[in-house]
């Protein structure tokens, strides 16, 4: 298929490479053009303006936050100005607020632009290998039409509903599940190891072989036990996601006490100076609260 | 091996059957003798008094709570009165407080009775199939000696440390991880489904294929989506475990905010009349708090 | 003094009456003019446009939220277009976000407009009697200059710092203290009365005579025991304040677990259908969670 | 009246002095006799055995915890062995568990011993001045009979119900209210002062003049702002009370999320090394979590 792609962060670059490897024709655009250059030799075409990535079968946005997406979509000569009715499908794959997705859904519908929300689960290495999970919501025909794109980047597609914003609710919820697990690892690790009798590795080994014995949880358990917090998904991004989740809850009158607790602990992590760490470092907060000394 | 077994609840009965199937010679004792009868034709010998199950290579206790264990161990003609120094190994497999296990460790050590703490992870069907996970702590030689027993009932043994009570800390921690997951399922399910656009099955399917894609978590996700709360592990038992976990935290000055939250929600479940349900019903608490109507 | 006043809700109207009673000359403007009419016979002048309330010694804004304040300040022919350098002092008395106050501070400073933030504590009846507490922050000379205004509406002025937004932090904090007390009343009331032996009045009487024996807390205790939830300060406004508090915490990396808990319980109150009640009804949430039946 | 008194800690000694000053005849007994000596010159008689303080109109117990009370009441030659039916009234003034009070109620009733539970609110200086608040529950005639005792030590008596344990529920609830206020002071103080613009004194001054403007709350606000944490009521005792409160909630299926949070923060305080401080130091926990440096 002929695919436009906007947003070349870690995830975006890896996804573009998976698309190219699967034989799709990909045109990319990025605010800072130099990020696009490495993709040229992988076979991507580099566009000078947004309009040039909106002419194919689909255009994917994979951007950092609501503001970036809103800017690319709504600015003059942005996506809304460049699509044509009932033609190229805009696939929003960014982790953004359900509220913004609802607004985008309306604005696309007014112009008869097909619109699908399809955030992804997985880390950059999964993106590189085409092993993401795709959580899609929107018009069923549109989703069927772009399935080859999802197949190129993901190992499986979950179709959630016909309401695009629900895909973002699910994506945020899975991130909240993961953060819950990291926090619970941290709490129980403090409990088990404070006396000094138990090697943290022994406890994490139990977890990774039982409750957390799934590929999605595994890296967090390993990071904690190896004290390796290189920021694949840094704490401020995790905080953004918890904030989006709480806002979505507020909009629907859904209390989310565990997510509130995690929000507070992420702030505590930042206040303690761990803002540059991977969100696995959330597990250090309960250690500190328990008075367990932390080698820097 | 020649094994005594005290405590014939659901788990105990299933474990005895696994031991017999593996060729061990098993003598059982239970406070209410009729619970022992079904095991006779499976090959178990039924003892009249506790002393009769303390003569073999090992005696296993698998009882409901601290009080039951303390009673069986310390009463006149109980385990302490019946073991012999440096002979049969007492294996405590009950989910009891680390504090009691510490006391038992001391009382056995004073008499030179070998003592191992080895609580198990898994539900009765896993016990039936010999597929439990065994979490063992204690003297290394004793653990090695009783390994054939663990092999009969479990698919894997984790040796945690030489301090028996640490096995109970790990067992409680894994239960706390599971309860955390159930609560988080409940919260995010409320978020995702409140609008009515999303079939709960679709969301749980994502979870079971990603974050919760592990045998240990699977039944809880399935129970929630099927609204099937037949009490395999009833809410009051889950509350007992959270209480033990919080007490262990208090003894070590370890705050456990997620476990505190779950404690409160289990109480809320009981106050709402769900005390007879499986602890999967903990996931209903966030639904109710979100104002989502609950068919009985 | 010659005072302009924008925002004639319950609080605003009462404050204007206190100003007139103290002998000040007051010109009022309101988006919906009919709300201004009752003040005419009390002696206020009604202005046709915002510019007409910006000509005196000071102009007070007392509006519902950030959006309303930003609109009145920044729109064409709004306050920024109407003040003159080093003349009339803009006093922001609304409960708005510290972030917006910081922005307003900068925008006024660029134009050499004096700016004071002075939110008030107290309910409409205190405003009517000139018995509010004024929490002021900003340039010391400006605060001194408008002190007669504060004296007319308040029983006491607290000068917090020279940074206007800090007054809003204090105001939000006091509201958070009050909400904490309401929630704690609710929790402990559930504990004390669930057995049915204790008359709620007896317990609240203890509280009002001891821990809560202060005019600010008294009405909440009384509302709870009288089950009188006529919305003086409705739950959605309380939720707005908790949200502002949490946002201010997020901006400063300050975790606020009690406020998070109250946020969640306010959402639970709304989800249960109590969104139209006074925030005293927050105290009903723990009752319901404890399974205590609530006559409608 | 002729009053026996058991338990001569800080509070007990002060209460005895108030009784003597009001003209009562007081006989005291204490486990460690030297603590009784200072009261001799104040006019108290020192008894050699518990039986000697059980012969008058009433015997008061004012002891540290459940274990101490149970010991003094139930041991051979203890209170139960020494009272006579329908004579001297046992007044339990200790802060102990409602569960123990229920047991004591039953054991006294079986023997026709009148029994009143009457824990007190206030700190040692209030006890010294006879300015405590007395929270009494039990048989109405018995309470009326011992009213002169309450008048000697307290400024006011609240009669809660005829069920003695309810007085303890109320006492624990008031302590939970105070702890909530301390925690909320700590959280909001972190919010208000983190930027460094605001003098903590200025904020606490607002609180003490408004939300916390009551004698009961005042010392905690003052301690926090003066960083004076000399242990009048040390953190481990506060933790004991929160534990009793949570246990009472568990017995009644009443979730208490704020109390759970405070429990966790008291543990965090102890883990940080503040176990020897007054419970006002609970307010330091949110400061540390916010990354605000704490001079030792």
């Amino acid at each position: 298929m002929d695919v436009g792609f906007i947003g070349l962060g870690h995830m975006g670059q890896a996804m573009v490479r998976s698309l190219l490897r699967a034989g799709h024709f990909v045109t990319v655009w990025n605010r800072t053009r130099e990020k696009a250059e490495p993709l040229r030799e992988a076979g991507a075409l580099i566009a000078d303006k947004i309009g040039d990535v909106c002419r194919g079968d689909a255009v994917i946005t994979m951007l950092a936050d609501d503001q970036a997406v809103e800017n690319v979509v709504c600015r003059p000569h942005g996506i809304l100005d460049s699509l044509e009715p009932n033609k190229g499908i805009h696939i929003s794959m960014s982790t953004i607020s359900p509220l913004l997705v609802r607004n985008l859904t309306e604005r696309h519908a007014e112009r008869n632009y097909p619109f699908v929300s399809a955030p992804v689960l997985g880390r950059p290495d999964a993106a590189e290998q085409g092993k993401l999970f795709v959580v899609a919501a929107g018009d069923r025909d549109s989703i069927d039409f772009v399935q080859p794109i999802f197949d190129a980047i993901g190992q499986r597609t979950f179709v959630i509903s016909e309401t695009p914003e629900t895909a973002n609710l699910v994506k945020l919820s899975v991130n909240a599940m993961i953060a819950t697990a990291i926090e619970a690892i941290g709490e129980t690790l403090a409990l088990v190891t404070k006396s000094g009798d138990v090697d943290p590795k022994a406890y994490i080994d139990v977890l990774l072989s039982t409750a957390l014995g799934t590929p999605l949880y595994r890296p967090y358990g390993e990071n904690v036990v190896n004290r390796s917090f290189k920021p694949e998904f840094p704490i401020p991004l995790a905080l953004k996601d918890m904030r989006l989740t709480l806002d979505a809850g507020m909009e629907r009158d859904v209390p989310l006490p565990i997510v509130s607790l995690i929000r507070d602990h992420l702030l505590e992590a930042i206040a303690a100076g761990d803002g540059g760490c991977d969100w696995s470092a959330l597990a250090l907060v309960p250690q500190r609260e328990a008075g367990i000394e932390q080698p820097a």
Side-chain angles (χ1 to χ4, degrees), chain A:
Chain A
M1 297 178 78
D2 181 354
V3 186
F5 202 103
I6 296 175
L8 299 175
H10 286 302
M11 289 295 289
Q13 299 219 20
M15 289 157 74
V16 166
R17 265 189 284 267
S18 284
L19 285 167
L20 291 167
R21 216 168 36 234
H24 296 290
F25 178 79
V26 187
T27 312
V28 302
W29 181 88
N30 202 62
R31 192 166 47 89
T32 50
R33 191 190 166 105
E34 54 268 39
K35 277 201 183 161
E37 286 304 333
L39 294 170
R40 190 193 297 276
E41 63 185 298
L45 209 66
I46 302 182
D48 287 321
K49 48 192 206 298
I50 292 177
D52 295 342
V53 295
C54 296
R55 308 268 173 256
D57 299 308
V59 56
I60 293 170
T61 45
M62 185 67 192
L63 293 152
D65 55 26
D66 279 29
Q67 209 186 341
V69 172
E70 194 152 20
N71 179 271
V72 153
V73 171
C74 303
R75 73 194 210 177
H77 310 296
I79 291 179
L80 285 183
D81 283 357
S82 308
L83 287 174
E84 289 173 48
N86 306 313
K87 279 204 57 188
I89 297 174
H90 177 192
I91 310 173
S92 165
M93 306 192 91
S94 317
T95 300
I96 51 178
S97 73
L99 189 61
L100 177 58
V101 173
R102 192 186 317 153
N103 293 345
L104 294 180
T105 304
E106 286 164 16
R107 286 193 252 176
H108 284 71
E110 287 163 6
R111 293 165 175 80
N112 286 314
Y113 297 163
F115 176 70
V116 168
S117 180
V120 291
L121 301 173
R123 293 153 65 110
D125 56 342
E128 196 75 46
Q129 301 156 39
K131 293 281 190 195
L132 295 169
F133 292 97
V134 178
V135 180
D139 167 60
R140 184 52 99 141
D141 288 341
S142 300
I143 292 175
D144 286 347
F145 181 73
V146 299
Q147 187 65 47
I149 292 172
F150 296 157
D151 291 342
I153 59 175
Q155 60 178 287
R156 186 164 163 197
T157 302
F158 299 94
V159 179
I160 296 302
S161 85
E162 305 235 321
T163 310
E165 65 178 302
T166 60
N168 298 268
L169 282 175
V170 169
K171 158 74 192 195
L172 291 172
S173 292
V174 174
N175 272 10
M177 293 291 305
I178 295 171
T180 299
I182 299 173
E183 165 74 19
I185 291 172
E187 289 191 15
T188 55
L189 188 64
L191 182 66
V192 167
T193 64
K194 189 169 181 183
S195 67
D197 292 325
V198 180
D199 181 355
K201 281 193 177 53
Y203 173 57
I204 298 293
D205 185 29
V206 175
L207 288 186
L208 291 181
S209 308
T210 58
L212 302 184
T214 162
L216 220 61
Y217 279 156
R218 179 162 285 275
Y220 306 106
E222 289 170 346
N223 287 348
V224 170
V225 75
N226 298 329
R227 305 191 60 78
S228 142
F229 302 116
K230 198 170 68 68
E232 287 211 50
F233 189 62
I235 278 183
L237 283 188
L239 182 58
K240 185 201 82 170
D241 280 11
M242 295 308 119
R243 168 75 178 272
L244 290 177
T245 308
L246 289 167
D247 285 349
M250 195 171 282
E251 218 203 335
R252 287 158 182 78
D253 303 327
V254 176
L256 296 164
I258 278 194
V259 184
S260 292
L261 187 155
I262 290 163
R263 185 203 87 110
D264 284 324
H265 278 201
L266 289 169
L267 287 174
E268 194 172 336
I270 293 171
D274 283 353
C277 295
D278 190 71
W279 65 333
S280 322
L282 168 62
L284 297 183
V285 173
Q287 316 293 309
R288 275 190 297 264
E289 291 189 354
I292 299 173
E293 288 314 316
Q294 299 295 331

